[in-house]
Amino acid sequence: MAKASVSDDCIDMVTPWNEYLSAKYKRSFAYHTVRNRLPVTVTQVIDHLSRSKEALVQTYGEGSREEIKQIIGYLSKLKNEMQTNKPLISLEANEVDASDWNNFLNTTEERLGRPLLWFADVWLHIECYLYRRIRESFALTKHLNQYDPFRHQKEEAFTGSLQAISVVGSYLLKLIESDAKIDTEQCVLQFLKLSLWGNRCDLSISGGKDISQVENPLDMISTLDELILVNDLQKVWSALNSTSSGPKIIDIIFDNSGYELFSDLCLAHLLVKLGLANKIRFHGKRVPWFISDVMEHDFHWLIQEMANQTRAPCLSKLSTMWKDFLSSGTWTYLTESFWTLPYSYDAMKQIDPELYNSFEGSKLLIFKGDLNYRKLVGDVFWPHTEKFSVALRGFEPAPLVTLRTIKADVVVGLQPGQAEKVAQKDTDWLVTGKYAVVSCLVK
């Protein structure tokens, strides 16, 4: 008798309103992701290790040869666990967040009265768990302990976008070095849009395929306003332009490396130069995450790689300025474990009160991208007309905004009938990154 398919355990329906996104609903993007996209991600890491084995052994020593086999075996087993809907297992390596992860797994199992399963539980938790297990496969080794299997893809995404990066960098320099009076509000809104649309460059949504930015971004953003389904840019400007006393701290919680990271740093530079901020705190991931997410190495590599671009002197000049911001403390890069835990952000106050409290002094929190959005609204399939403030479920340490191109089937804050109208034109509108939201909450 043939073994039943995993999909036989899933429900042939769309996700019901107000339920968590989950692969148990066969007509959901979560199901498509867990069934089709995530196994490809694991396979690509295995293929990369197989193809790069000799180069890795040359770099990390002969001892890494056996470790590569060990990692490939671990990842092959992981892929099988996912595809056959096995229970999620605890982490083994003694890393800084391992006890938090294992506590989450154990507590959730106790609450459910059963093991957590790939095709039965909250998509957010499942997807984060997959990337944490990929990290675990390297953490269990000695020579490849700090290896980032996605680093080559992130770096190629940057170099493939150099033409667009040079255009934006040249424009930024022209603005900040001009003696002519500039329209501060229009400049800030323009760079907020550059940062917003930079979020289209996401390797996890493209399955690791090339996502280089090749069009002229300055020409592009002026034509895309109608695709911003929730547009709170004026609220964002009001928050940035507020004149409250105290330090003007802005926090940017990163999403993707490459062109998007560059656009984020250009925005940060402009905010400092215009006096809207005197300190920017950047927040990135501790471990390789969702293929293209920013880690500390990616951040510093990009700034240094800009300095090496002899054919684009504007980038070298900006690199020097950004290094000065870092050395003076105007810019600070921070790595907190919370960003690679499975929790949505309404749990931050309890799970990481120190991080939550640090945000309370911020003028504005800028959350980039799809995963941050999903964590802000809890990965719940809210009615599309639900208020953003309600979906945040009490997470409001400071004024905040999300700059996000839509790549998962959750979005709130739309007007009645708006979702239906967009769906008539584009049935895949929730998952392609074509549309965007700028959702702002001001306390």
Side-chain angles (χ1 to χ4, degrees), residues 322-334:
W322 293 356
K323 288 176 182 177
D324 288 344
F325 283 155
L326 288 165
S327 61
S328 68
T330 302
W331 282 6
T332 309
Y333 185 94
L334 301 165

Side-chain angles (χ1 to χ4, degrees), residues 123-192:
W123 178 28
L124 175 67
H125 302 158
I126 295 300
E127 200 164 11
C128 289
Y129 176 78
L130 174 82
Y131 283 97
R132 188 56 186 80
R133 286 283 303 278
I134 292 173
R135 164 59 200 156
E136 168 97 339
S137 70
F138 292 90
L140 290 168
T141 67
K142 177 182 176 182
H143 300 89
L144 295 170
N145 187 277
Q146 297 303 312
Y147 187 70
D148 177 358
F150 307 125
R151 176 173 162 182
H152 64 292
Q153 292 166 282
K154 291 184 271 190
E155 293 178 358
E156 287 166 7
F158 172 81
T159 53
S161 302
L162 271 172
Q163 186 175 345
I165 284 169
S166 298
V167 168
V168 175
S170 178
Y171 180 64
L172 175 63
L173 272 181
K174 183 180 173 183
L175 281 179
I176 62 180
E177 292 179 341
S178 172
D179 293 329
K181 184 173 175 59
I182 63 171
D183 185 329
T184 302
E185 179 181 346
Q186 288 308 307
C187 286
V188 170
L189 294 179
Q190 189 175 32
F191 275 83
L192 282 165

Side-chain angles (χ1 to χ4, degrees), residues 1 38 52 78 114 117 123 134 141 164 222 405 434:
M1 184 175 174
L38 297 186
S52 308
L78 172 63
R114 61 163 176 79
L117 301 168
W123 178 28
I134 292 173
T141 67
S222 62
T405 59
K434 177 180 177 180

Side-chain angles (χ1 to χ4, degrees), residues 417-429 435:
Q418 189 179 9
E420 292 78 6
K421 188 176 177 182
V422 177
Q424 281 179 351
K425 291 190 294 184
D426 189 343
T427 54
D428 291 333
W429 68 283
Y435 297 90

Side-chain angles (χ1 to χ4, degrees), residues 39 53 115 208 342 346:
K53 181 169 64 176
D346 59 302

